[in-house]
Amino acid sequence: MFTTRPVLTGTFGMVASTHWLASAVGMRTLEAGGNAFDAAVAAGFTLAVVEPHLNGPGGDAPIIGHRAADGHTFVVCGQGVVPAGATADAYLALGVDEVPGTGHLAAVVPGAFGAWLDLLARYGTLPLADVLGPAIGYARNGYPLVPAAARTVATVADMFRTHWPTSAEVYLPGGAAPGPGARFSNPALAGTFERLLAEAAAAGPDREAQVEAARRAFYEGFVAEAVGAFVADVPVHDATGRAHTGFLRADDLAAWRATEEPTVAVPFAGVEVHKTGPWGQGPVLLQQLRMLEALGVEDLVRDAGRQRSDDGGGPLAELVHVVVEVGKLAMADRDTWYGDDGDVPLATLLSPAYAAERARLVGPTADDGFRPGAPDGRVPRLARALVAARAAADAGAPAVPLADGLGEPTVSPIGLSPGDTCHVDVVDRWGNRVSATPSGGWLQSSPVVPGLGFALPTRAQMCWVEDGLPASLTPGRRPRTTLSPSLALGDGHGFAFGTPGGDQQDQWQVPFLLRHLIGGLDLQAAIDAPTWHSTHVHGSFHPRSHTPRGLVAESRLGAGVLAALAARGHVVQDAGAWSLGRLSAAGVGPDGWLQAAANARGQQGYAAGR
């Protein structure tokens, strides 16, 4: 099969990410003697600088790690929680019955910075200055602004000038939006990082004491004070069309810290696939794999792999259809049962028996319903806003369009977007592995905090302003995020992998896994292969739109395959030849070689290694 690049193979270390500078910084860190955890932190901080439209130091960062020495596999949760004052009654008193997608009302505790520091303190070996230094250099001295970031800034420039002057100060230097490839710097962010390093150095020579001092300065010191004052005292224009202050306070930051918890895993095709718990959408991937296993997906993948022509669709059309229908069922369970309420019936949702029961619902044509299951006999209850959004779509109301290509969000002039992010995977010569999907703190969704150079996460928009649901807006709970890093671990081998893309993350990962684990394609070929996703599923971001029976697919699947899918009732949108997904992967092959691969779509993601 044609591939855009070779799989990188070596023995020393590998880094793959959605931005070449982050991959280079991660590799530099390995070369300096750091391990995979050090390299992931350095790459993560770099992503927070060079992809500000997709993430920031004040965003969110779920991380999955594997320590080779003892086989310890874990999640570092960098998803911040809903503020103490952000109750449903408080929103309703403002006349707000849905959390807006932009501004202070959607702000939660920033978790990314704390998560990276937690990973560094527990599992890294290098001082904070070593892993934060490259990010400071890019923020201070500049980096080439990628075209997507330039487009995003240009789209929201008028809003910045009119309503968000602190953002205009950073992103409109000289009053104008920077063009693609412009040398862009963020001195305010560099200054924040430098001040955090000064606080760390003042704690003395001990590495862990320095990391803790920087964490305190962020969550209990000058950063928390600036965040709390800005959100409490400065009303900002948001997606409601009005200006509001918010509920996030310095005390919320002081009360939070990143936590470590076990992964959730199921066996599939000779490996164990590890994800976060149901406070994220990660278990959706595991549910899909369970159902596909019940449907005999091995034969489907092998038959599709032998197909030489797309005339009439053949086995490839059957494979795409089955994967799409299984994804719709898993996502319906996500929207009904997932959340951070401590009562998610996860064991049942991931059980073979439940998967077999759900798999029997897959028919020969595209289903147009919303079909959550009833795990343990529970009766599904849907959020009122979700029911209303579905009714509007079923009645033919126009959907809010998603952008063609790359899984990037469509950004409206007021900053609304379905959300997107970035990703990094690392493996080192000892076999340690990290998969991380930092996101949030998007430049277009929240104004820059004065003096700090970064924006706040708006993840509260994923909560329902309605009591009694797993994802209800509840102080102290994590919003149910779409962020979904992954690890696949076998006997002495396995790889970290993931992709940006909001609701598409755990859809794009399925064909990648099927083609690699069952179809025998190498990591790069599995990433390069044409992919697809369903838009029948409900969006997790405001305004929660969906397209009944919608299927977005790359044209390289073949005209006959797309026609066959349309004949089955899918509303097919041809997204072009190279347009969907931003996957990357890094790990240890069955032969012991270190390997890495990254997505060529968009000419931005790269792997580095030797």
Side-chain angles (χ1 to χ4, degrees):
M1 176 185 166
F2 168 79
T3 60
T4 58
R5 307 162 178 172
V7 174
L8 298 188
T9 306
T11 59
F12 182 79
M14 300 282 167
V15 184
S17 82
T18 49
H19 197 289
W20 71 91
L21 290 177
S23 298
V25 165
M27 194 63 203
R28 168 192 180 273
T29 306
L30 293 178
E31 297 281 5
N35 62 20
F37 309 110
D38 297 309
V41 175
F45 280 133
T46 299
L47 287 170
V49 174
V50 303
E51 292 199 290
H53 59 308
L54 302 180
N55 81 133
D60 327 285
I63 304 165
I64 302 182
H66 173 76
R67 186 171 57 195
D70 58 3
H72 178 51
T73 305
F74 57 91
V75 172
V76 173
C77 177
Q79 176 54 64
V81 300
V82 173
T87 65
D89 287 345
Y91 283 86
L92 294 173
L94 297 172
V96 175
D97 59 5
E98 287 188 59
V99 180
T102 65
H104 285 338
L105 287 179
V108 299
V109 173
F113 188 81
W116 291 125
L117 262 58
D118 186 83
L119 184 69
L120 181 67
R122 290 176 187 255
Y123 300 101
T125 62
L126 297 180
L128 178 60
D130 288 5
V131 298
L132 192 52
I136 293 174
Y138 287 123
R140 175 70 65 193
N141 302 318
Y143 60 91
L145 197 66
V146 296
R151 288 194 302 269
T152 299
V153 174
T155 301
V156 294
D158 285 343
M159 181 179 70
F160 284 2
R161 296 184 185 101
T162 305
H163 298 295
W164 293 2
T166 57
S167 294
E169 182 179 349
V170 171
Y171 290 104
L172 303 178
R183 185 168 184 150
F184 184 80
S185 61
N186 187 341
L189 179 57
T192 296
F193 284 159
E194 288 164 346
R195 187 171 173 186
L196 290 166
L197 280 187
E199 296 274 2
D206 182 75
R207 189 185 74 89
E208 292 185 20
Q210 288 188 354
V211 173
E212 175 59 19
R215 190 204 66 80
R216 286 198 307 269
F218 190 102
Y219 288 95
E220 302 172 33
F222 76 95
V223 172
E225 292 168 3
V227 167
F230 184 45
V231 174
D233 299 338
V234 182
V236 299
H237 187 83
D238 59 37
T240 67
R242 293 173 284 151
H244 294 97
T245 56
F247 302 105
L248 186 64
R249 299 291 185 269
D251 288 347
D252 294 305
L253 275 70
W256 181 89
R257 68 184 303 152
T259 55
E260 181 177 313
E261 59 191 60
T263 60
V264 176
V266 302
F268 182 78
V271 299
E272 272 201 334
V273 181
H274 292 255
K275 302 292 283 187
T276 71
W279 51 266
Q281 77 173 10
V284 158
L285 177 66
L286 307 183
Q287 285 196 249
Q288 290 174 89
L289 297 179
R290 285 288 207 198
M291 283 186 271
L292 289 168
E293 192 172 49
L295 290 167
V297 74
E298 294 88 353
D299 291 338
L300 280 175
V301 173
R302 294 188 180 106
D303 289 345
R306 287 190 289 266
Q307 184 172 332
R308 292 292 177 263
S309 168
D310 71 324
D311 292 342
L316 181 53
E318 174 70 12
L319 175 65
V320 175
H321 167 74
V322 168
V323 170
V324 166
E325 292 302 297
V326 160
K328 288 155 65 173
L329 292 169
M331 286 291 201
D333 277 345
R334 178 201 72 172
D335 291 338
T336 306
W337 303 114
Y338 288 21
D340 192 29
D341 72 341
D343 191 34
V344 178
L346 190 60
T348 299
L349 289 169
L350 297 181
S351 68
Y354 182 79
E357 173 190 332
R358 297 285 280 154
R360 286 193 287 271
L361 297 175
V362 175
T365 59
D367 185 81
D368 64 357
F370 179 76
R371 299 184 291 175
D376 300 332
R378 302 187 186 195
V379 178
R381 176 192 160 197
L382 305 182
R384 289 189 295 267
L386 187 62
V387 173
R390 177 165 188 85
D394 291 345
V400 174
L402 299 180
D404 292 337
L406 304 179
E408 301 287 354
T410 297
V411 181
S412 75
I414 60 167
L416 283 175
S417 75
D420 200 16
T421 179
C422 44
H423 186 79
V424 60
D425 300 298
V426 187
V427 61
D428 63 24
R429 61 189 181 274
W430 301 285
N432 300 309
R433 273 149 277 186
V434 180
S435 174
T437 311
S439 184
W442 303 303
L443 70 87
Q444 66 272 21
S445 298
S446 184
V448 168
V449 181
L452 298 184
F454 65 82
L456 296 172
T458 52
R459 197 68 60 173
Q461 66 182 289
M462 307 179 85
C463 300
W464 302 111
V465 186
E466 177 182 347
D467 292 334
L469 299 166
S472 290
L473 182 77
T474 306
R477 280 191 192 170
R478 294 167 286 191
R480 199 266 303 145
T481 178
T482 55
L483 305 176
S484 198
S486 308
L487 279 180
L489 298 176
D491 184 11
H493 64 92
F495 51 97
F497 64 101
T499 178
D503 297 291
Q504 285 78 254
Q505 290 180 39
D506 288 300
Q507 297 189 67
W508 290 332
Q509 292 182 43
V510 171
F512 162 76
L513 285 176
L514 297 180
R515 284 160 165 161
H516 179 59
L517 295 175
I518 298 173
L521 297 186
D522 64 38
L523 291 176
Q524 190 64 56
I527 288 171
D528 285 347
T531 195
W532 62 85
H533 67 265
S534 170
T535 53
H536 180 88
V537 304
H538 291 277
S540 295
F541 298 87
H542 182 87
R544 310 277 186 169
S545 60
H546 84 294
T547 302
R549 295 178 288 110
L551 170 59
V552 180
E554 290 185 318
S555 57
R556 289 181 296 126
L557 284 170
V561 170
L562 299 187
L565 291 166
R568 289 173 179 259
H570 297 281
V571 179
V572 178
Q573 177 185 341
D574 185 338
W578 295 87
S579 57
L580 303 177
R582 294 173 66 201
L583 278 151
S584 64
V588 183
D591 55 6
W593 289 107
L594 304 187
Q595 299 179 332
N599 174 55
R601 298 163 177 90
Q603 303 179 64
Q604 186 177 318
Y606 279 88
R610 66 173 179 89

